[in-house]
Amino acid sequence: LKDRRTAEWSYDYVHPLTNGDGVWEIKFEASGIAYRPLFCFGPYPQEMSILIFAEEQGGKFRPPTAMQTAMSRMQEIRQHPDRALIHDG
């Protein structure tokens, strides 16, 4: 994803969440499990931050608090960018 513009991303697999206020979702399955990493852009330009690695079951996130956790962590790294851990892989 990092080497493509967001306009090139397939919304079947990556898209902003409704009422997510900046939280996006990556969708993929492995071994029959629907994984849903939630992320935001930032804290700096050209960066994205994974906020929580959730699963989806029955149309709901597991853990049930995944969205609240993602939003809280997004606010935290936007207010305190030095708290985001850098990984370049």
Side-chain angles (χ1 to χ4, degrees), residues 3-22:
D3 295 328
R4 295 180 180 258
R5 298 174 315 170
T6 54
E8 297 173 347
W9 293 357
S10 169
Y11 270 43
D12 292 335
Y13 302 105
V14 182
H15 59 89
L17 293 175
T18 305
N19 299 323
D21 197 29

Side-chain angles (χ1 to χ4, degrees), residues 16-24 39-40 51 67 70-71 74 78:
L17 293 175
T18 305
N19 299 323
D21 197 29
V23 176
W24 286 59
F39 74 95
C40 68
L51 303 167
M67 191 62 169
M71 292 182 81
M74 179 177 62
R78 286 183 174 171

Side-chain angles (χ1 to χ4, degrees), residues 4-76:
R4 295 180 180 258
R5 298 174 315 170
T6 54
E8 297 173 347
W9 293 357
S10 169
Y11 270 43
D12 292 335
Y13 302 105
V14 182
H15 59 89
L17 293 175
T18 305
N19 299 323
D21 197 29
V23 176
W24 286 59
E25 170 184 53
I26 301 171
K27 299 171 88 171
F28 70 95
E29 286 192 27
S31 300
I33 299 171
Y35 292 105
R36 304 294 185 256
L38 304 182
F39 74 95
C40 68
F41 291 100
Y44 300 108
Q46 304 298 315
E47 291 184 349
M48 60 187 280
S49 296
I50 301 292
L51 303 167
I52 188 168
F53 204 91
E55 297 175 12
E56 185 179 351
Q57 190 173 55
K60 298 185 187 258
F61 287 131
R62 285 184 38 199
T65 57
M67 191 62 169
Q68 293 87 351
T69 299
M71 292 182 81
S72 174
R73 289 176 179 172
M74 179 177 62
Q75 288 297 332
E76 182 72 19

